[in-house]
């Protein structure tokens, strides 16, 4: 629908004499002209060092960097202050920062960390490492199959989030099955026992309301590249309570208020968490990406992707030899949104992706950085199809035809 805003589609057609059917937005999103132009315009006209110079380019670059931070704060919710918004290199770094910080100041051998077994590796391995270092327990909320739909076992979650639980960290929307998890319930459980609640919004920030701090969460994380912005930039939004508790993650320039040969004092948030030269051009890109999202309306972006998702889902269910891994949302309804995973009973997932690519259809195949989840489903790899605002009904029909005809290529 908004395809013309994204130059890659026209360029791809010219280069390959075929339209691009891009069905991998859950991995990374394409970039609209507004983002590309904002970044290159800034590099052409206003580039300078952030927070380090008295010359005018440096001053305006610093202002633009801080304006991007304010824009992110507004994007999350009106009550978020810009000092609660920390720029990192991505969701992965945001989660590592949290896990390392909790490990340093909070976790003891008596504690428990709770995550789900359906998490992306970046919301699992940092917590496993924190548990190892602090010799505390890490417990997993299971994914269970209820009436043909996979979902997190919330009864088990109620038992696991108990008085010794210090951190609960879960994804808002799953990157493999596309389900929306019960974040409000996880926040409620965490609050009851005084645990910190972290919400991984990597898959939801572009299309959903992610102001979980309003409900009592302590941290929300996401990556710019999944919301039509550049790679190399992540966001970590901290509750006011956590700002005073978490120590810095890295040490170096910019994050100090004083340094002597005997040690250093940290500045306040957000600079305390942003050692080194910051991702300035990327922050300008994220600012433009948020402007683009809000000019179209998050709800409209979601509706568009979900409608394509629904039509894909009903077509896929009619194809023989395909096993769809359906999930249920927090409400108990089946996921009919924009991320779906399946396997072909005769053609391996990697072959499916390679064959579809020969028709210029881009899908993801593999373990989707979620090995424990893939093992739980009893497979070694899945094909994932995901939709973005630039996808069109022809993408759905072409991918369905491609899947229908897979057996012809191999048999
Ligand atoms: N969490 C989820 C749910 C994801 O889908 C991803 C990426 O796919 C990540 C975390 C990691 O994001 P990044 O690779 O941008 O750090």
């Amino acid at each position: 629908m908004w395809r013309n805003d994204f130059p890659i589609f026209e360029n791809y057609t010219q280069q390959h004499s075929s339209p691009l059917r891009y069905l991998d937005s859950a991995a990374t999103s394409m970039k609209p002209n507004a983002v590309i132009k904002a970044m290159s315009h800034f590099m052409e006209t206003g580039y300078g060092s952030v927070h380090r110079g008295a010359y005018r380019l440096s001053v305006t670059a610093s202002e633009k960097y801080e304006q991007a931070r304010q824009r992110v704060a507004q994007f999350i919710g009106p009550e978020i202050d810009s000092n609660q918004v920390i720029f990192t290199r991505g969701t992965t770094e945001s989660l590592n920062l949290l896990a390392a910080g909790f490990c340093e100041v909070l976790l003891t051998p008596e504690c428990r960390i709770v995550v789900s077994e359906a998490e992306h590796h970046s919301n699992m391995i940092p917590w496993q490492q924190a548990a190892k270092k602090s010799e505390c327990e890490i417990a997993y909320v299971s994914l269970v199959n209820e009436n043909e739909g996979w979902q997190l076992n919330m009864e088990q979650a109620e038992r696991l989030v108990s008085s010794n639980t210090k951190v609960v960290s879960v994804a808002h929307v799953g990157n493999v099955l596309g389900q929306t998890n019960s974040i409000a319930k996880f926040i409620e459980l965490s609050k009851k026992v005084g645990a910190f609640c972290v919400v991984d919004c990597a898959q939801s920030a572009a299309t959903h309301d992610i102001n979980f701090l309003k409900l009592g969460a302590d941290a929300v994380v996401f990556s710019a590249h999944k919301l039509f912005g550049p790679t190399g930039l992540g966001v970590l939004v901290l509750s006011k309570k956590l700002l005073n508790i978490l120590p810095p993650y890295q040490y170096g320039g910019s994050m100090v208020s004083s340094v002597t040969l005997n040690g250093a004092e940290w500045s306040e948030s957000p600079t305390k968490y942003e050692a080194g030269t910051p991702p300035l051009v990327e922050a300008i890109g994220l600012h433009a990406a948020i402007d683009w999202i809000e000019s179209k309306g998050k709800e409209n972006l979601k509706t568009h992707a979900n409608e394509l998702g629904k039509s894909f889902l009903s077509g896929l269910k009619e194809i023989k030899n395909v096993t769809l891994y359906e999930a249920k949302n927090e409400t108990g309804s089946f996921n009919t949104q924009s991320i779906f995973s399946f396997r072909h009973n005769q053609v391996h997932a990697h072959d499916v992706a390679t064959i579809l690519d020969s028709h210029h259809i881009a899908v993801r195949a593999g373990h989707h950085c979620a090995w424990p989840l893939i093992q739980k489903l009893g497979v070694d790899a899945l094909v994932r199809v995901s939709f973005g605002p630039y996808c069109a009904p022809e993408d759905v029909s072409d991918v369905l035809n491609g899947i229908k005809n897979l057996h012809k290529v191999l048999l």
Side-chain angles (χ1 to χ4, degrees):
M1 185 161 163
W2 295 282
R3 204 170 171 91
N4 291 341
D5 285 9
F6 294 79
I8 195 158
F9 293 101
E10 177 64 31
N11 291 332
Y12 189 98
T13 304
Q14 279 180 17
Q15 279 169 31
H16 302 279
S17 306
S18 168
L20 167 64
R21 304 288 172 216
Y22 186 71
L23 300 171
D24 199 18
S25 292
T28 196
S29 62
M30 293 306 183
K31 315 304 167 201
N33 266 318
V35 169
I36 300 166
K37 291 214 166 112
M39 293 173 75
S40 57
H41 178 73
F42 174 69
M43 286 187 282
E44 284 165 2
T45 60
Y47 187 77
S49 176
V50 171
H51 299 322
R52 289 167 190 211
Y55 54 91
R56 69 194 67 187
L57 275 179
S58 171
V59 172
T60 48
S62 308
E63 280 167 8
K64 287 208 178 301
Y65 184 65
E66 291 310 321
Q67 281 161 10
R69 196 192 303 283
Q70 276 162 18
R71 188 73 182 92
V72 174
Q74 269 171 15
F75 178 67
I76 313 276
E79 70 287 2
I80 306 293
D81 291 338
S82 55
N83 73 345
Q84 292 174 262
V85 174
I86 290 140
F87 286 131
T88 63
R89 281 176 45 237
T91 304
T92 303
E93 188 173 83
S94 298
L95 290 164
N96 273 279
L97 186 157
L98 288 164
F102 281 126
C103 184
E104 196 174 322
V105 297
L106 186 78
L107 298 173
T108 60
E110 296 74 39
C111 297
R112 175 185 285 168
I113 300 168
V114 175
V115 301
S116 92
E117 65 179 359
E119 298 307 311
H120 187 282
H121 292 161
S122 64
N123 195 26
M124 185 177 282
I125 304 171
W127 300 114
Q128 290 176 341
Q129 291 302 110
K132 236 183 223 169
K133 275 194 196 146
S134 55
E135 296 178 3
C136 78
E137 182 196 357
I138 179 161
Y140 298 95
V141 179
S142 311
L143 192 66
V144 286
N145 196 345
E146 297 268 347
N147 305 322
E148 305 303 314
W150 292 94
Q151 60 186 341
L152 295 184
N153 183 342
M154 294 310 291
E155 281 169 22
Q156 184 197 26
E158 288 198 26
R159 290 193 300 276
L160 290 179
V161 182
S162 59
S163 59
N164 62 340
T165 303
K166 288 288 175 269
V167 189
V168 175
S169 189
V170 273
H172 182 197
V173 170
N175 65 307
V176 181
L177 302 177
Q179 83 286 2
T180 307
N181 293 322
S182 313
I183 299 304
K185 184 72 188 170
F186 277 108
I187 293 172
E188 183 196 317
L189 294 176
S190 309
K191 269 166 77 177
K192 226 186 252 175
V193 298
F196 290 100
C197 186
V198 174
V199 191
D200 174 355
C201 294
Q203 291 297 345
S204 59
T207 44
H208 293 62
D209 177 6
I210 57 164
N211 191 1
F212 293 115
L213 275 78
K214 191 176 58 188
L215 296 186
D218 296 284
V220 161
V221 298
F222 60 92
S223 297
H225 71 94
K226 290 193 204 275
L227 50 156
F228 322 114
T231 50
L233 180 70
V235 171
L236 164 62
V237 190
L238 291 179
S239 64
K240 290 186 178 146
K241 181 167 141 206
L242 250 192
L243 280 182
N244 300 320
I245 292 176
L246 276 185
Y249 175 56
Q250 291 184 329
Y251 304 92
S254 297
M255 47 80 69
V256 284
S257 57
S258 75
V259 188
T260 67
L261 290 181
N262 295 322
E265 305 263 335
W266 319 135
S267 42
E268 298 289 310
S269 177
T271 41
K272 169 181 172 181
Y273 301 108
E274 294 181 358
T277 301
L280 164 64
V281 182
E282 290 79 1
I284 304 272
L286 178 58
H287 190 152
I290 291 174
D291 286 348
W292 186 87
I293 290 171
E294 294 201 334
S295 73
K296 310 303 168 203
K298 265 192 180 191
E299 208 43 49
N300 296 333
L301 299 184
K302 184 158 87 179
T303 304
H304 175 73
N306 289 1
E307 275 171 6
L308 294 175
K310 250 188 226 155
S311 130
F312 170 73
L313 196 60
S314 65
L316 191 72
K317 284 183 178 171
E318 312 228 311
I319 302 178
K320 274 195 234 139
N321 281 326
V322 163
T323 306
L324 170 69
Y325 290 83
E326 285 202 88
K328 284 188 173 170
N329 296 319
E330 55 184 329
T331 53
S333 61
F334 278 101
N335 165 41
T336 54
Q337 299 190 42
S338 59
I339 303 176
F340 306 97
S341 287
F342 64 93
R343 79 187 175 87
H344 194 281
N345 302 339
Q346 292 174 320
V347 187
H348 191 274
H350 289 128
D351 294 327
V352 172
T354 308
I355 296 166
L356 291 178
D357 177 59
S358 69
H359 301 288
H360 303 275
I361 301 167
V363 299
R364 170 86 184 262
H367 51 68
H368 310 293
C369 298
W371 280 14
L373 163 59
I374 293 288
Q375 281 157 9
K376 182 65 175 263
L377 300 179
V379 291
D380 67 338
L382 289 175
V383 182
R384 182 181 69 189
V385 164
S386 52
F387 295 95
Y390 28 68
C391 292
E394 295 77 22
D395 296 356
V396 175
S397 47
D398 279 11
V399 73
L400 289 172
N401 280 333
I403 299 166
K404 259 182 227 156
N405 291 325
L406 280 170
H407 63 282
K408 288 192 190 156
V409 179
L410 293 189
L411 304 179

